[in-house]
């Protein structure tokens, strides 16, 4: 019984560490996505805003990154939200896996805005996401749907499309 | 010169720098882990991806994504987080099926909460969702088929509209085709149309992508001559076009050649030495014994003298043999359209519970069918049309049960998202045509005697609204117009979900669903000439084009919680009320009373036979009402990347009101005896020719309330443990339990003992291309029957291989 308890405790500690690493890499991926999108000059203000919907360690990883890096000349600002509506002036909206059911609603609210919608879970391109993270065979990868991205007036760099898994 | 020197020095130092700093792909995991965020943020995306690859996604991350953070699409007809699903729903992935060692799709459903899976003969199963099975009881075995669950493959109904139910052996697909199985529990007609009374099982086939292996499959063989094989070829030709071809095969023997005969008092079996053995109860007999058995009370044979045993049971030892091939083309041109085209063929022969009405509970069934299915997405408009054709013989050797089938479906739905409101209007049409006339010889009577059609035109709308940013409210309505019965039916679903923080969801559902009409209910036209058997001489089965369809109302409360990122618990409590049950029941009995019958005045049985009793059976509604309450609890827990456990349990009670405790044969006997008693008082009128017929439609009217229905187990569930001691070895075991049941049909009562089945599989990964495995079904050889009047199901041991390239 003691062994089982210890095993479970260890698994909890290990999972937390592993999860943090995954969030860190997702944050770095998002940072790279931001650099590989042709943003219209009129989009948002001077800051580059990423909004994270749902409780996700990704937000704190992004905040760490924001202290180190800029997107072009813009400071990186990270916002957090629990709702699909009321999100304004964001360049990227990341919908965490736990809130993935909100993706079609977010997409509807943002349909006229120059915003890149990124999902923390596979299969969300069909619900309006431009990029959707997934893990397979030990790799972190992403689905990319240029059609959804372009519908927001954005254009992805060819390199980004080539590196992702294309979804029509 | 200076320029050349600068270039030279730049290249030299550049190369030197490269030599000192290894490429990301050459780095070790340790080196990647030691890189700071600042250093990682300097990497371009392609290098970052390589670094991630070197570090590797933890198996825990993948497992939690696969088991805890699943997507489901059948509960709302669009992809959503299963944790947020407004309905009771479960997703079973191909990986989970493989890990379980299940050898058929039906068996794999034991992993799904709320599903009762009982094996009848090797590889042939009864599958029920939540219950309401064998209603009304005291009837033919066909009434034990599951007519309350709609099975679909990629949204294409796989339903037997002749009798109602699912012909599992006629599925064209195997494990090679499947990506996942989604199950929605509770009435879902508002989303999927009729017959989703207790829920929906939607088998979703795999998409072919750039990551799909070119060749993949599995093969295994084992005891009881059990062989199964699955094979798939998949190729993505471009971003726009992918194709795949799959095949599947199964061969399974029973553990005996004998078939079960219902119990009857004083059955006599003469032997070659002039002796006679007497049997007073049901049991297993060889075909030879079946043919020679005599009813000691009448001297008539137990079997139908017109039957040919070799036609009834071509190979009584064979339980199941089937194969199928399927092809898929996925085309995504640039723009907003996408097309999925699939087609396939299947051929099957099984020995399992009969759909006919012979003295045995066994029967053969053959299917030879093909299909084509087209799904098109044009922006937010989704179109689907499909056709299934072919031949099915529902009772081999029993003439009149072979039919040509032709089933056509077409539907259109529009997915309209307006801020927090999602609207999904839709229309659909279904036509199911069956024709037995090509297989009737001379004046032979089939049970349809011609081409018969059921069709349904439906319109639906579903609204899904997120209020206050949290409260999800859903209303779905569907109206269906049937040709038979010529009525309009409405079904609906109202649901609400409320998140309590990130890790809790509470939800409530109220829904109504109904069955469709079935061909035998609306169009039966079968005259059973029973010459050489006990009276009546003729029974005519007639359909009814104007009856009420079985309907259920259900209320459900649910609660989901994620106590940690690695565990999800799901609890649901449901209460349902169902009515408008029906059956082919005696309407009237007629005796032909000519003066000649009095020559048998000394022998009442002979006199009755001389009247050539004629029974008119018509499909009709009963007052029966079934109330079910129950609860299901399920848990998925990734304890460590090496240890996973899943479990579920369902507790239920079904109570019947207005229960009519009479079988068809009891009513016929009552009516015949009542008429026989009128012969003597009317002797003068009969002798003078003033009276030539005696008819009655009298039936007992007494019913019972608060009768506990015991065909459905009161408790069933599963515990699954998967352990990976090393990367190459996976040990998986699951136990499945069903509590005792009492099954009543028109001939007998069967007590089914509680049963625990332990299954286990050990898989060794040889390399990235192949795994070998040992697989034991019912490891402890708990050799008892799982379904009334069917085979005892013992252990099967197998060995096999899975491969992909």
């Amino acid at each position: 019984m003691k062994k089982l308890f210890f095993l479970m405790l260890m698994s909890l500690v290990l999972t937390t560490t592993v999860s943090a690493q995954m969030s860190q890499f997702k944050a770095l991926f998002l940072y790279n996505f931001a650099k590989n999108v042709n943003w219209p000059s009129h989009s948002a203000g001077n800051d580059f805003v990423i909004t994270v919907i749902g409780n996700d360690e990704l937000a704190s990883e992004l905040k760490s990154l924001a202290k180190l890096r800029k997107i072009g000349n813009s400071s990186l600002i990270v916002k957090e939200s629990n709702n699909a509506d009321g999100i304004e002036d964001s360049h990227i909206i990341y919908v965490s896996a736990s809130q993935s059911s909100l993706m079609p609603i977010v997409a509807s609210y943002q349909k006229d805005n120059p915003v890149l919608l990124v999902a923390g879970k596979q299969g969300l391109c069909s619900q309006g996401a431009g990029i959707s993270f997934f893990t397979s065979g030990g790799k972190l990868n992403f689905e990319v749907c240029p059609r959804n991205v372009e519908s927001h007036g954005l254009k992805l760099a060819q390199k980004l499309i080539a590196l992702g898994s294309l979804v029509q | 010169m200076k320029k050349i020197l600068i270039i030279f020095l730049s290249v030299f130092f550049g190369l030197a720098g490269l030599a000192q700093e290894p490429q990301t792909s050459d780095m070790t995991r340790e080196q990647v882990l030691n890189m700071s965020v600042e250093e990682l943020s300097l990497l371009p995306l392609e290098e970052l991806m390589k670094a991630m690859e070197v570090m590797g996604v933890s198996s825990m991350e993948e497992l939690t994504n696969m088991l805890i953070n699943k997507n489901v699409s059948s509960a709302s007809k669009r992809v959503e987080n299963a944790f947020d699903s407004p309905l009771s729903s479960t997703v079973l992935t191909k990986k989970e099926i493989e890990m379980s060692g299940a050898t058929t799709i039906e068996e794999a459903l034991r992993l799904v909460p709320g599903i009762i899976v009982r094996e009848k003969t090797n590889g042939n199963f009864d599958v029920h969702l939540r219950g309401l099975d064998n209603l009304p009881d005291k009837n033919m075995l066909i009434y034990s088929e599951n007519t309350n669950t709609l099975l679909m493959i990629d949204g294409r109904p796989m339903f037997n509209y002749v009798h109602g139910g699912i012909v599992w052996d006629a599925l064209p697909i195997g494990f090679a085709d499947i990506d996942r199985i989604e199950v929605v529990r509770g009435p879902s007609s508002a989303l999927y149309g009729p017959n989703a009374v207790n829920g929906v099982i939607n088998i979703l086939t795999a998409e072919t992508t750039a990551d799909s292996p070119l060749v993949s499959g599995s093969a295994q063989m084992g005891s009881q001559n059990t062989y199964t094989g699955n094979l798939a070829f998949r190729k993505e030709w471009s971003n726009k076009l992918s194709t795949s071809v799959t095949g599947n095969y199964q061969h399974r023997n029973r553990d005996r050649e004998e078939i079960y005969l219902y119990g009857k008092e004083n059955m006599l079996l003469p032997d070659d030495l002039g002796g006679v053995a007497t049997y007073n109860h049901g049991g297993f007999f060889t075909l030879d014994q079946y043919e020679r058995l005599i009813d000691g009370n009448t001297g008539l044979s137990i079997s139908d003298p017109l039957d040919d045993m070799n036609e009834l049971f071509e190979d009584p030892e064979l339980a199941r043999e089937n194969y199928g091939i399927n092809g898929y083309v996925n085309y995504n041109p640039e723009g907003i359209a996408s097309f999925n085209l699939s087609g396939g063929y299947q051929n099957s022969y099984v020995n399992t519970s009969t759909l006919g009405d012979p003295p045995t509970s066994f029967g053969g069934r053959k299917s030879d069918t093909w299909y084509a299915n087209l799904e098109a997405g044009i922006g937010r408009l989704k179109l689907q049309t499909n056709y299934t054709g072919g031949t099915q013989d529902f009772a081999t050797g029993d003439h009149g049960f072979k039919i040509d089938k032709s089933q056509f479906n077409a539907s259109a739905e529009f997915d309209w998202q307006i801020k927090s409101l999602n609207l999904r209007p839709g229309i659909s049409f279904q036509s199911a045509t069956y024709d037995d006339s090509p297989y009737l010889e001379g004046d032979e009577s089939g049970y349809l005697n011609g081409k018969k059609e059921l069709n349904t035109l439906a319109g639906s709308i579903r609204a899904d609204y997120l209020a206050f940013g949290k409260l999800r409210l859903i209303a779905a309505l569907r109206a269906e117009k049937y040709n038979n019965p010529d009525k309009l039916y409405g079904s609906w679903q109202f649901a609400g979900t409320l998140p309590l923080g990130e890790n809790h969801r509470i939800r409530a559902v109220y829904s109504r669903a109904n069955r469709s009409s079935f061909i035998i209910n609306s169009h039966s036209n079968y005259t059973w000439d029973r010459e050489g058997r006990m009276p009546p001489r003729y029974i005519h089965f007639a359909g009814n084009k104007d009856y009420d369809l079985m309907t259920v109302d259900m209320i459900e409360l649910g609660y989901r919680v994620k106590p940690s990122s690695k565990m999800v618990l799901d609890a649901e409590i449901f209460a349902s009320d169902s009515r408008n049950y029906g059956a082919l029941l005696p309407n009237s009995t007629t005796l032909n009373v000519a003066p000649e019958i009095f020559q048998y005045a000394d022998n009442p049985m002979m006199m009755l036979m001389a009247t050539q009793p004629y029974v008119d059976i018509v499909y009709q509604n009963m007052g029966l009402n079934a109330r079910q309450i129950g609860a299901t609890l399920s848990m998925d827990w990734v304890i460590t990347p090496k240890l996973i456990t899943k479990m579920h349990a369902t507790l239920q009670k079904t109570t019947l009101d207005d229960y009519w405790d009479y079988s068809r044969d009891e009513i016929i006997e009552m009516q015949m005896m009542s008429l026989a008693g009128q012969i003597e008082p009317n002797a003068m009128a009969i002798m003078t020719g003033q009276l030539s017929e005696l008819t009655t439609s009298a039936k007992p009217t007494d019913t019972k309330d608060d009768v506990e229905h015991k065909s459905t187990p009161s408790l069933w569930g599963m515990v699954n443990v998967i352990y990976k001691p090393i990367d190459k070895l996976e040990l998986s075991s699951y136990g499945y339990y069903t509590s005792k049941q009492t099954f009543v049909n028109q001939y007998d009562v069967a007590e089914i003992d509680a049963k625990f089945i332990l299954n286990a599989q050990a898989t060794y990964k040889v390399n990235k291309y192949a795994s070998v495995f040992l697989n034991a079904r019912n490891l402890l050889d708990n050799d008892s029957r799982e379904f009334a009047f069917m085979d005892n199901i013992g252990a099967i041991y197998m060995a096999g291989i899975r491969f992909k390239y």
Side-chain angles (χ1 to χ4, degrees), chain A residues 11 98 108 121-122 138 147, chain B residues 62 69 71 335 419 502 566:
Chain A
S11 80
S98 66
S108 180
K121 196 173 185 184
Q122 187 171 14
R147 185 192 298 167
Chain B
E62 284 202 39
N69 301 320
N71 283 336
K419 301 282 184 353
E502 192 92 350
K566 300 176 300 172

Side-chain angles (χ1 to χ4, degrees), chain A residues 19-166:
Chain A
S19 177
Q21 284 164 356
M22 178 60 72
S23 295
Q24 187 184 78
F25 270 86
K26 279 186 176 175
L28 290 162
F29 272 51
L30 276 184
Y31 169 66
N32 271 278
F33 295 160
K35 292 196 297 183
N36 283 285
V37 173
N38 186 14
W39 300 100
S41 54
H42 62 274
S43 69
N46 292 326
D47 293 330
F48 189 94
V49 180
I50 299 180
T51 301
V52 177
I53 298 180
N55 285 337
D56 201 301
E57 292 166 4
L58 177 75
S60 57
E61 294 294 340
L62 278 171
K63 283 174 183 170
S64 302
L65 195 57
K67 292 172 187 166
L68 302 168
R69 295 278 174 257
K70 289 187 169 192
I71 307 294
N73 294 321
S74 303
S75 298
L76 178 56
I77 304 294
V78 181
K79 294 181 179 176
E80 293 178 76
S81 172
N82 283 318
N83 295 322
D85 57 346
I87 300 168
E88 292 173 351
D89 298 336
S90 284
H91 293 78
I92 296 178
I93 297 176
Y94 175 84
V95 181
S96 67
S98 66
Q99 296 294 329
S100 56
S101 300
L102 294 179
M103 179 53 82
I105 299 172
V106 175
S108 180
Y109 274 104
Q110 300 293 332
K111 70 182 170 69
D112 298 323
N113 296 336
V115 60
L116 176 67
L117 302 180
V118 181
K121 196 173 185 184
Q122 187 171 14
L124 273 293
C125 284
S126 65
Q127 302 301 310
I131 292 177
S132 196
F133 280 113
F134 70 95
T135 54
S136 172
K139 300 174 194 171
L140 175 65
N141 211 327
F142 56 91
E143 293 175 340
V144 56
C145 180
R147 185 192 298 167
N148 286 353
V149 177
E150 285 161 15
S151 72
H152 290 273
L154 305 176
K155 193 158 178 62
L156 296 172
Q158 274 306 315
K159 185 175 80 171
L160 186 57
I161 297 171
L163 288 170
S165 178
L166 189 64

Side-chain angles (χ1 to χ4, degrees), chain B residues 204-334:
Chain B
L204 296 159
T205 58
E207 286 179 24
T208 297
T209 66
D211 295 330
S212 301
L214 180 66
V215 184
S216 60
S218 65
Q220 62 186 316
M221 60 183 291
S223 51
Q224 285 185 223
N225 275 332
T226 303
Y227 306 91
T228 72
N230 291 278
L231 188 62
F233 296 92
R234 299 184 182 276
K235 175 78 176 168
E236 187 185 62
W237 302 95
S238 70
N239 288 331
K240 296 174 187 168
L241 181 67
S242 64
T243 58
S244 55
V245 177
T246 65
N248 61 83
Y249 174 75
Q250 284 192 65
H251 179 285
R252 296 162 181 272
N253 273 3
R254 298 171 58 216
D255 66 345
R256 63 197 313 166
E257 286 188 356
E258 296 88 352
I259 57 167
Y260 186 91
L261 300 182
Y262 292 116
K264 211 174 175 80
E265 286 290 320
N266 198 23
M267 293 193 296
L268 307 177
L269 182 63
D271 61 30
D272 295 339
L273 303 173
V276 174
T278 303
Y279 298 90
N280 292 309
H281 52 79
F284 282 89
F285 294 87
T286 65
L287 292 184
D288 175 62
Q289 290 172 326
Y290 177 29
E291 200 161 23
R292 289 189 291 118
L293 268 171
I294 290 168
D295 183 340
N297 299 322
T298 63
L300 300 171
S301 65
I302 295 292
S303 62
D304 189 327
L306 302 174
D307 282 343
D308 180 331
M309 289 295 156
N310 293 324
E311 283 188 18
L312 286 177
F313 298 98
E314 289 175 15
D315 182 358
E317 198 180 1
L318 181 64
R320 173 172 181 164
E321 185 168 36
N322 64 284
Y323 64 88
I325 53 171
N326 302 273
Y328 304 84
V329 178
N330 178 249
Y331 179 54
N332 289 311
E334 283 182 12

Side-chain angles (χ1 to χ4, degrees), chain B residues 61 85 181-182 229 400 579 680 682 780:
Chain B
E61 184 84 18
S85 165
I181 300 174
E182 297 190 349
R579 59 202 166 276
E680 195 177 328
N682 290 291
L780 303 178

Side-chain angles (χ1 to χ4, degrees), chain B residues 198 329 570:
Chain B
N198 275 353
V329 178
D570 196 341

